[in-house]
Amino acid sequence: MNLIKKGSWVQIEKIVLKVGERADNIPEETKNVPLKLFQKGYLQADAQIGEKVTIRTIIGRNIEGELIAENPKYSHDFGRPIPEFLSVAKEFRELAKYKEGN
Amino acid sequence: MRKKNKIMKMALGIDYEEFEEDGISFNYEKLMEKASYPLEKIRAIQSETKVGNTPLFELRNINKAVRALSSPGKGARIFLKDEAANASGSFKARRASVSVFHAQEKGYKGVVAATSGNYGAAVASQANMRNLKSIIVQEVFDSRGYGQPEILEKGRKCETYGAEVIQLTVGPELFYVFLKVLEETGYFNASLYTPFAIAGIETLGYEIAEQLQKSEGKYPDAVVITNAGGGNVTGTARGLIKAGSTNTKIIGTSVDLKGLHMASDRDFNRKSFTTGHTGFGVPFTTQPDRADVPRNAARTLRYIDRYVTISQGEVFYITEALSQLEGIERGPAGNISLAAAFSIAQEMREDEIIVVQETEYTGAGKHVTAQMTFAREENGIEVKKGNPEEQIPGKNIVIPESPALIKVKELDLNELRTSYIQKQVSGTEIDKLSERELKFLANETKSSVNFIKEVLLNLK
């Protein structure tokens, strides 16, 4: 496994509340899974994915957790064009034209 | 609980006890006056950090469709306040600006906000300009690890502004993480619900009144405002009143997400709107003090004259109309009030003006195409053209077949008022409520002492 170098920008994960520690007044499906936290920062010592590490956040706080990724990519995008929407302008303009024609 | 109050007091510098009166009542106006800044000062604060003076323009092509659908003599003109022009791309910059200024004045080193919305980016952006650090706590992922694309985008934006971003899976226990961060850092709590946050929005209502007076020679007949936690309605309405626009009808609107549970790991990604929906709007309206401060400065029922809902598909549809007919790409969450206004304008007279008081930036994750793709392909939501009447939140998204099918649905305000009163008096002896408490309830619900007495009689 690749060693990630000290000082790299990484992401960690930790469990804040285990199943059994969660609030009483929440739905079962939420109660049955742990509350997890994800955070990014500079790795404080060389480490491999899955190891317990310390990071220093962008504003300088030290946080501990399990190393899960090195500089993860922003994964959100624009999706696909939605064919149902291609005709919106036409639908509005036809209304106005019909009215003017009267 | 006591610890919570102690942390809050330290992180806000407001002693809410000072505004408590007998029993259930507190002095709202005194809280707004003493725990914030006057409007002129706020305008000066905001002008230092690229907030406010956003354009207000008429939606000429959309208004042609409104007229076409209206009966003779009907069809008000819609004007849009382009709040996306604020630093960080939404009206939330107004809300953040005063808190961050105050934090700087009082010598705090940083600010913390618990928000999955545009507010995080607004706080981070304002903090940059005031040379403060910022931490944003977000609810982002379901237990499968799927992040809501809109919230992922907001996380990216916060990171771009140099904020420390703490991302969590679904659950209201986010609040405890937030409290712990406040305690550990000693930073200022840039809550959405302080007098600072609400006073920051007053300039929005004030500008609308001023701009319309200047260009059209009149105040707006109605303003449509997206309602979630209540701040947008409260601040805008207060600003309109301060500008002298006292006869303007205040209409709140939310996306209908009936049936979806806000704390559900399963429902979390089955909704395409992360805010501005009934899942926040209705509970906050009937129980404003469920917020992260002892007394919420956002109090919808004090100002609202009407409350309507609209479906997800209708908002997406009008969002596309805004780009295809008006040439501006915004939202979609910021266009909830536009969808509602399109329907309401058809009931109004043609010489009237209805103002949609916000827009927001759009981008990867937020965009209609991103949300629809996520709903359809990752969460099994059926997307179809049809009549929005057939929508079932969490199961389908119905895109109107024609603009004629965009129609708001009424929420019964008296029912909401009754629910609010019920919650306020629960645990107290109804017969022993003082005149001041009755008057307080009347002010809180924009009703009368007689109405309150009638409701209380039925509660017994």
Side-chain angles (χ1 to χ4, degrees):
Chain A
M1 228 206 227
N2 285 346
L3 198 68
I4 300 174
K5 288 281 177 206
K6 178 184 174 182
S8 302
W9 185 247
V10 299
Q11 187 178 37
I12 59 158
E13 169 187 319
K14 69 178 178 185
I15 291 179
V16 182
L17 295 172
K18 294 195 250 270
V19 176
E21 293 175 339
R22 301 217 52 173
D24 287 334
N25 57 342
I26 57 174
E28 282 303 313
E29 64 269 23
T30 314
K31 219 181 265 189
N32 289 335
V33 293
L35 179 71
K36 286 187 187 171
L37 174 151
F38 302 85
Q39 231 172 322
K40 292 180 196 168
Y42 299 106
L43 188 61
Q44 294 303 290
D46 293 0
Q48 291 183 341
I49 298 288
E51 284 185 331
K52 193 164 183 206
V53 298
T54 300
I55 58 165
R56 179 161 292 182
T57 70
I58 193 74
I59 64 167
R61 297 198 313 138
N62 285 344
I63 313 281
E64 283 180 7
E66 182 192 322
L67 182 61
I68 58 165
E70 181 179 7
N71 195 13
K73 191 175 154 183
Y74 290 122
S75 59
H76 61 293
D77 58 20
F78 280 95
R80 279 180 226 281
I82 307 297
E84 289 89 340
F85 282 132
L86 299 175
S87 54
V88 171
K90 191 166 154 257
E91 286 152 22
F92 273 78
R93 289 204 166 103
E94 268 171 5
L95 265 182
K97 218 191 285 169
Y98 171 79
K99 180 85 171 186
E100 277 160 23
N102 277 346
Chain B
M1 204 59 188
R2 188 185 293 162
K3 193 171 173 192
K4 174 191 150 189
N5 281 339
K6 204 180 139 209
I7 296 170
M8 280 300 171
K9 202 168 158 181
M10 198 179 71
L12 276 172
I14 300 174
D15 184 3
Y16 282 84
E17 279 300 317
E18 199 188 316
F19 308 103
E20 288 300 310
E21 296 173 338
D22 46 319
I24 58 173
S25 73
F26 79 104
N27 193 329
Y28 176 62
E29 286 303 334
K30 192 171 150 199
L31 171 72
M32 289 305 291
E33 191 190 323
K34 289 194 77 176
S36 186
Y37 299 94
L39 194 117
E40 277 315 307
K41 173 71 179 167
I42 289 173
R43 292 188 109 178
I45 291 168
Q46 293 182 337
S47 72
E48 288 173 359
T49 53
K50 309 173 187 74
V51 180
N53 289 315
T54 56
L56 178 77
F57 36 64
E58 185 174 352
L59 300 181
R60 293 174 190 279
N61 277 335
I62 285 182
N63 286 346
K64 280 184 195 161
V66 169
R67 283 283 160 86
L69 288 168
S70 305
S71 41
K74 300 271 180 167
R77 288 187 295 156
I78 302 171
F79 282 68
L80 183 77
K81 181 85 167 145
D82 198 15
E83 285 291 289
N86 287 304
S88 81
S90 78
F91 88 96
K92 290 280 169 46
R94 296 184 190 265
R95 216 160 170 166
S97 61
V98 188
S99 290
V100 176
F101 170 82
H102 185 76
Q104 185 192 36
E105 284 282 295
K106 296 292 170 192
Y108 288 87
K109 298 274 177 280
V111 289
V112 191
T115 164
S116 303
N118 289 328
Y119 187 59
V123 167
S125 151
Q126 291 293 310
N128 279 352
M129 287 183 266
R130 302 260 176 220
N131 303 306
L132 296 182
K133 292 175 175 177
S134 61
I135 301 176
I136 306 301
V137 188
Q138 296 186 315
E139 182 185 47
V140 189
F141 302 102
D142 63 18
S143 60
R144 300 175 300 169
Y146 282 65
Q148 217 304 330
E150 179 165 23
I151 305 176
L152 289 173
E153 159 56 16
K154 287 160 187 176
R156 178 207 62 80
K157 199 165 170 71
C158 290
E159 286 181 350
T160 292
Y161 289 135
E164 176 182 319
V165 182
I166 299 175
Q167 299 187 305
L168 295 167
T169 52
V170 177
E173 302 102 321
L174 176 145
F175 187 60
Y176 297 99
V177 175
F178 172 68
L179 275 181
K180 218 170 139 217
V181 172
L182 281 178
E183 194 184 17
E184 281 169 10
T185 58
Y187 287 179
F188 184 76
N189 173 12
S191 157
L192 281 156
Y193 305 109
T194 60
F196 307 115
I198 304 311
I201 309 166
E202 289 178 7
T203 54
L204 173 46
Y206 200 92
E207 284 174 25
I208 289 170
E210 267 187 346
Q211 286 170 306
L212 211 59
Q213 192 60 254
K214 197 171 166 202
S215 72
E216 306 299 316
K218 64 182 286 190
Y219 290 131
D221 297 285
V223 176
V224 194
I225 309 164
T226 300
N227 188 43
N232 203 12
V233 167
T234 304
T236 305
R238 288 176 62 85
L240 284 162
I241 294 166
K242 284 187 179 175
S245 183
T246 49
N247 293 322
T248 301
K249 201 164 179 192
I250 304 296
I251 305 170
T253 181
S254 302
V255 161
D256 179 12
L257 287 189
K258 198 163 25 180
L260 294 178
H261 195 298
M262 292 311 126
S264 163
D265 182 67
R266 189 184 51 227
D267 290 350
F268 182 70
N269 276 326
R270 301 186 71 81
K271 54 187 197 286
S272 301
F273 285 77
T274 60
T275 186
H277 55 65
T278 50
F280 292 140
V282 172
F284 267 101
T285 298
T286 57
Q287 205 176 355
D289 295 319
R290 69 205 291 281
D292 58 2
V293 289
R295 285 292 191 180
N296 189 350
R299 308 189 84 83
T300 304
L301 285 176
R302 278 185 173 255
Y303 298 98
I304 208 166
D305 296 305
R306 183 176 174 188
Y307 192 1
V308 298
T309 65
I310 194 93
S311 70
Q312 300 183 99
E314 289 166 289
V315 179
F316 286 147
Y317 190 67
I318 205 79
T319 298
E320 290 299 296
L322 188 64
S323 55
Q324 293 182 26
L325 293 157
E326 299 291 342
I328 53 170
E329 217 180 359
R330 304 282 187 272
N335 299 329
I336 296 166
S337 46
L338 175 59
F342 185 78
S343 166
I344 293 166
Q346 295 165 41
E347 309 161 5
M348 295 170 64
R349 290 197 320 266
E350 63 182 0
D351 62 342
E352 292 187 304
I353 290 174
I354 181 168
V355 173
V356 172
Q357 55 73 271
E358 68 162 322
T359 61
E360 58 162 352
Y361 86 102
T362 191
K366 283 170 77 86
H367 200 278
V368 169
T369 54
Q371 286 297 329
M372 298 283 274
T373 304
F374 184 65
R376 200 179 237 172
E377 296 179 21
E378 309 293 344
N379 293 287
I381 307 287
E382 185 196 2
V383 176
K384 58 174 185 182
K385 281 202 141 188
N387 189 333
E389 291 279 346
E390 296 156 21
Q391 69 121 9
I392 306 167
K395 291 221 158 52
N396 64 22
I397 294 174
V398 182
I399 301 161
E401 270 178 323
S402 145
L405 295 174
I406 300 177
K407 290 274 173 239
V408 294
K409 286 205 163 76
E410 300 296 324
L411 287 180
D412 184 340
L413 257 193
N414 278 343
E415 239 171 62
L416 293 169
R417 288 178 176 128
T418 303
S419 166
Y420 164 85
I421 295 162
Q422 207 165 356
K423 289 182 174 105
Q424 282 289 335
V425 301
S426 93
T428 65
E429 284 182 66
I430 290 176
D431 292 327
K432 290 188 179 158
L433 288 172
S434 66
E435 277 306 309
R436 175 137 85 168
E437 286 172 290
L438 294 175
K439 190 86 189 45
F440 169 76
L441 289 173
N443 288 337
E444 281 276 282
T445 51
K446 205 176 183 179
S447 66
S448 63
V449 170
N450 278 343
F451 174 80
I452 301 296
K453 283 182 175 165
E454 215 173 284
V455 170
L456 292 176
L457 207 62
N458 288 327
L459 284 182
K460 278 192 212 168

